[in-house]
Amino acid sequence: MKSNLKKGLFAISCTLLVGCVSTLSNYDTALAESNETNLRVSGKLINGSFTEYYQRSGASLVSVGSQYERGNLDFESSNKVAPYPGLDMTKPFQVHKTGYIQAPGTGNYRFFVQTANGGQVYVNDELVAAGKLIRFQKGDIIKVKVVSNFAGTPSASAGTISLYSTLYWSTPASLSAGGSQANQQVPKEIVYTTPDMQGVDTEFDETLVHGVYAEYETRSKTVLNAYDLFASQYEDSTLDFSCLAGKQPYPELNPVQGFRVKKTAYVKIEESGTYRFNTSNNAKLYVNDVLIQNNSTAMYFNEGQVVKMKVISNGYGGTTGTRYFYDVYWMTPDSMYKYVSIPKDRLYTTVDLNGVPLT
């Protein structure tokens, strides 16, 4: 089993996902006083990206702001949540993420980005086509910049729309392996904020409050219709999942063997009333550990109540189709009888809403 969680963080996850289940019903409106945003501290951020946010005005781009951020060069948000203060989600905008990667071996590399509305990849400040091979020597520092375009959502009545971009690369080793191993996501552990890989002094998040606990499993080679845990981590993402068919959903996880994804998060109810839930692509959703039947299971929650949500994907495998995916929707008292996506800012990584420490 692989995991990028340290032992302390793993212990937290076990406590949350096992020990806290029996106490879910005891949490109530008192949790409204818990932390609502990630705690920020000053220090040296080594792994991460320099992220710039731009509003499009005609043919011009207007800078909204920039900051160093944890994580890799991927981006995920929704049209209901501005990823940076002052960014107008109803109008077109761009997100630029820049980081530095040390070439793990000598040979050819290639890069491409999957986005909701198109994007570009710049390698050492040169725009590169998706299939272009670029040769590097082992140890070379590669500057990578991902530009993601988003059209904006002018209609105030529009439902929640996922906005994302995912960077894939091929290394000499993965190209040699071929097939589904050729194109891989770029792990956050190898993306650096500075070319000297020493990090930058800045403010960054100390805790991850909004997000999910994700588990990636591979199909068992010994037990029929069973899966083994491959990796787990807390993620700055929603309960939804999407990955290009044939591509690795997690670094070094071979999709051809077969895999599935589990995501767990907690939601604080903001309005008392009846809620319904729905998923796509045969994903199973458990609410407070009860399996929900799509469109048919109505549940009443009180304002301030904390609800556990866990989604388990259908098994994926092979390279047919265009992508592996599922989506999670809910109908709330104020959604006008429409199913809408659950935005990331409504999802908490822990049942106490205080978040987990980032390492």
Side-chain angles (χ1 to χ4, degrees):
M1 182 190 77
K2 299 177 181 292
S3 177
N4 66 354
L5 298 177
K6 294 187 177 180
K7 292 182 179 179
L9 189 55
F10 180 75
I12 293 173
S13 70
C14 293
T15 302
L16 293 172
L17 297 179
V18 179
C20 292
V21 169
S22 62
T23 64
L24 270 171
S25 60
N26 296 329
Y27 285 82
D28 54 22
T29 54
L31 287 173
E33 299 178 0
S34 298
N35 292 334
E36 293 292 332
T37 58
N38 296 345
L39 297 176
R40 294 183 68 80
V41 296
S42 296
K44 191 173 289 293
L45 182 63
I46 297 176
N47 296 108
S49 68
F50 180 65
T51 306
E52 304 165 273
Y53 298 90
Y54 294 91
Q55 201 82 62
R56 180 170 291 282
S57 178
S60 302
L61 291 176
V62 178
S63 176
V64 177
S66 61
Q67 62 186 5
Y68 285 95
E69 297 177 349
R70 288 181 179 270
N72 57 13
L73 296 170
D74 299 343
F75 172 80
E76 182 177 8
S77 186
S78 79
N79 62 316
K80 300 296 186 182
V81 181
Y84 192 89
L87 191 68
D88 188 348
M89 305 298 285
T90 67
K91 299 178 181 179
F93 67 96
Q94 283 189 355
V95 179
H96 299 187
K97 296 177 76 76
T98 302
Y100 299 87
I101 302 172
Q102 186 174 40
T106 297
N108 290 323
Y109 292 75
R110 66 186 178 197
F111 300 82
F112 74 95
V113 61
Q114 177 196 16
T115 69
N117 295 112
Q120 299 83 38
V121 180
Y122 292 81
V123 176
N124 290 340
D125 297 318
E126 178 184 347
L127 178 63
V128 297
K132 182 179 180 179
L133 293 174
I134 308 173
R135 186 172 180 82
F136 293 105
Q137 299 295 317
K138 181 178 180 180
D140 283 351
I141 301 299
I142 309 169
K143 179 183 179 182
V144 181
K145 181 178 182 178
V146 179
V147 176
S148 305
N149 304 294
F150 300 100
T153 311
S155 174
S157 61
T160 303
I161 301 172
S162 295
L163 307 173
Y164 67 91
S165 65
T166 306
L167 177 67
Y168 294 92
W169 74 335
S170 301
T171 67
S174 68
L175 286 171
S176 177
S180 63
Q181 301 295 305
N183 299 312
Q184 304 176 350
Q185 289 184 259
V186 180
K188 61 185 179 182
E189 292 82 7
I190 68 169
V191 179
Y192 294 88
T193 55
T194 59
D196 62 6
M197 300 186 294
Q198 298 303 304
V200 62
D201 292 317
T202 185
E203 282 193 350
F204 52 89
D205 292 339
E206 184 181 35
T207 59
L208 180 64
V209 175
H210 296 289
V212 301
Y213 179 72
E215 301 167 271
Y216 296 88
E217 300 178 330
T218 56
R219 192 184 303 276
S220 175
K221 296 180 180 180
T222 58
V223 181
L224 185 64
N225 296 324
Y227 292 84
D228 299 321
L229 182 62
F230 181 83
S232 59
Q233 62 182 6
Y234 285 96
E235 295 182 350
D236 181 20
S237 69
T238 67
L239 288 166
D240 302 333
F241 170 75
S242 179
C243 175
L244 286 174
K247 306 303 183 293
Q248 295 181 350
Y250 186 93
E252 299 183 18
L253 195 163
N254 183 0
V256 175
Q257 179 180 329
F259 72 96
R260 72 179 181 184
V261 179
K262 298 178 180 178
K263 290 190 176 186
T264 302
Y266 300 88
V267 177
K268 185 176 71 174
I269 298 301
E270 295 182 350
E271 182 179 359
S272 298
T274 300
Y275 291 73
R276 294 180 182 272
F277 302 88
N278 200 354
T279 63
S280 64
N281 210 16
N282 299 315
K284 294 181 179 179
L285 177 66
Y286 293 81
V287 177
N288 286 348
D289 298 314
V290 176
L291 178 61
I292 300 300
Q293 301 298 323
N294 282 348
N295 301 312
S296 61
T297 305
M299 305 183 76
Y300 187 91
F301 300 118
N302 293 310
E303 179 183 353
Q305 185 176 351
V306 174
V307 177
K308 178 186 176 183
M309 300 183 66
K310 182 173 185 176
V311 59
I312 303 177
S313 75
N314 192 26
Y316 303 117
T319 58
T320 58
T322 57
R323 65 185 178 117
Y324 314 121
F325 76 97
Y326 67 77
D327 300 290
V328 181
Y329 306 96
W330 66 352
M331 183 186 297
T332 68
D334 62 353
S335 64
M336 304 298 291
Y337 302 103
K338 295 179 181 179
Y339 280 104
V340 296
S341 297
I342 305 174
K344 186 176 65 177
D345 67 332
R346 297 293 303 275
L347 303 173
Y348 293 83
T349 54
T350 60
V351 68
D352 61 8
L353 311 186
N354 289 321
V356 293
L358 292 168
T359 57

